[in-house]
Amino acid sequence: MTEFVGTTPGLFPLPDHAKSELADLKGHQKGDLISGDEPESITDVYDDARSTVVAEQRDAGLDRVVEGCLRWDDMLAHPLAVHDNVGTGGIVRYYDNNNFYRDPCVTGELTPSGDVPSEVAAAADLLDDTDPPLQATLPGPYSLADLATDEFYGDDREFLAAVASFLAAEVEAFPAHGTLFLLDPSLVATPPDDDLAAAVPEAIDTVAGATDADVVVYTYFGALDEKTYAHLLDADIDAVGLDLVDADRETTVYNAVEYGITDDVALGVADGQNTLVESPETLRERAAWFTDQVPATDFERVYLSTNTEPFYLPVNKHRAKLDAVGAAADLEREVHA
């Protein structure tokens, strides 16, 4: 029987009270805070905000709990932007939307930093045996390399491998976790060229091999092209993540039918960028639309989530979508009971 899991990709919007407190403490603007440099008054605000978002996920009935990535001012670029051997360049646009991040310029060896592991450990400390499993979030190696500027390694394949090794070292320092989501929208937005495409599954395997948890490579901002999709399936992962909100979802179905799919699948069914809050029934229908069109596939596990990180949403809309995703997973379990 298929297991249905309500979850999120992480990268939550910062709770309103935390925004206000940070503004009072430091005139907080996007990109102001560098990991390890924050005074205790700042870290206390983030600790309190983390407790808030963990409690909200419990209340929403989600089946995985994430830390929230509340300090990730540079979104997916964060793990590099806070690294000692990475300088932050100018402000650049984050894919094709109105969000921005500081360009991380890699100027030295990508040694382990421990920044994200400390956040994941803080979330783990908030959970007990009655809570759902912890889910960790990282950028996928290809997206992190794509969002950065390499001023040290000098070769695309070598740089991608270095980014993957860096991420693997971070994963090795994580506390116990049930699932790892690798967010890899660049596979859709700026797919690798022929010279780099075959190296992508190798890079993913490097990261996935660092954990015993289930690994999901979560893609979004549209459908993968055929070549990239086929290469992604060469990676040793438990689930591929697919955007079912984007208008090109017919291509997503075609890829799954033509090239096959992983035993588990993660489906982006709630719009992570639109303030319209879909009903649980609508989310379930989107998931069923996909699974019904993939013949002879009995998925072992289906994750339901927002299609993108919910960073873009107002906090109240984000919370409402958490509730809807949790309820949609419950509906799936009722229908398939």
Side-chain angles (χ1 to χ4, degrees):
M1 180 179 293
T2 302
E3 176 188 6
F4 293 94
V5 174
T7 189
T8 73
L11 269 166
F12 288 0
L14 193 64
D16 293 332
H17 69 84
K19 289 180 185 176
S20 177
E21 291 173 34
L22 288 169
D24 291 341
L25 286 168
K26 196 174 177 176
H28 177 58
Q29 298 294 324
K30 185 176 179 63
D32 276 353
L33 301 178
I34 302 298
S35 174
D37 295 338
E38 303 100 322
E40 186 176 352
S41 58
I42 297 291
T43 59
D44 285 347
V45 174
Y46 281 112
D47 288 344
D48 181 59
R50 184 182 298 110
S51 298
T52 296
V53 301
V54 167
E56 289 169 354
Q57 292 171 82
R58 285 194 193 103
D59 293 343
L62 295 182
D63 303 294
R64 297 291 184 273
V65 174
V66 301
E67 184 272 336
C69 311
L70 301 175
R71 291 173 53 254
W72 291 28
D73 288 341
D74 295 291
M75 292 177 283
L76 292 187
H78 170 86
L80 288 185
V82 298
H83 194 283
D84 288 343
N85 291 336
V86 177
T88 48
I91 300 297
V92 290
R93 188 179 296 274
Y94 183 75
Y95 297 106
D96 269 338
N97 56 41
N98 289 323
N99 289 278
F100 301 86
Y101 69 100
R102 297 169 299 172
D103 178 23
C105 302
V106 178
T107 58
E109 184 181 0
L110 291 177
T111 53
S113 75
D115 179 82
V116 177
S118 68
E119 296 177 333
V120 179
D125 289 342
L126 297 172
L127 304 178
D128 59 36
D129 292 341
T130 66
D131 285 310
L134 178 67
Q135 177 177 299
T137 295
L138 278 174
Y142 177 72
S143 286
L144 189 56
D146 179 56
L147 294 172
T149 298
D150 172 29
E151 297 180 352
F152 179 74
Y153 292 94
D155 175 83
D156 288 346
R157 291 178 73 102
E158 184 179 350
F159 182 51
L160 177 60
V163 169
S165 295
F166 161 69
L167 290 173
E170 300 295 278
V171 171
E172 288 173 352
F174 283 175
H177 52 288
T179 309
L180 173 64
F181 261 49
L182 299 176
L183 309 187
D184 230 333
S186 285
L187 290 173
V188 172
T190 54
D193 60 25
D194 290 341
D195 291 337
L196 198 58
V200 169
E202 296 173 7
I204 291 171
D205 285 350
T206 296
V207 184
T211 180
D212 293 329
D214 294 321
V215 177
V216 179
V217 173
Y218 203 63
T219 67
Y220 47 99
F221 296 142
L224 291 157
D225 66 41
E226 292 182 50
K227 179 192 70 178
T228 304
Y229 182 84
H231 278 297
L232 179 55
L233 291 186
D234 289 336
D236 186 14
I237 57 175
D238 297 279
V240 62
L242 303 170
D243 184 347
L244 296 189
V245 175
D246 186 82
D248 199 22
R249 61 181 188 164
E250 296 283 354
T251 300
T252 295
V253 169
Y254 171 82
N255 287 339
V257 172
E258 183 70 15
Y259 297 100
I261 195 166
T262 45
D263 291 337
D264 301 343
V265 68
L267 302 177
V269 291
D271 194 330
Q273 299 183 90
N274 192 309
T275 57
L276 174 67
V277 179
E278 307 96 325
S279 69
E281 291 78 12
T282 295
L283 303 186
R284 186 197 164 268
E285 287 169 3
R286 286 176 180 168
W289 175 86
F290 176 83
T291 56
D292 289 348
Q293 293 188 78
V294 183
T297 300
D298 185 12
F299 292 108
E300 295 177 9
R301 178 180 293 158
V302 175
Y303 297 89
L304 304 180
S305 176
T306 54
N307 66 323
T308 70
E309 60 268 66
F311 174 91
Y312 317 95
L313 297 171
V315 172
N316 64 327
K317 299 296 185 179
H318 160 62
R319 291 173 178 168
K321 291 196 182 237
L322 290 183
D323 292 338
V325 169
D330 287 338
L331 276 177
E332 287 280 31
R333 285 188 280 265
E334 291 174 11
V335 168
H336 292 86

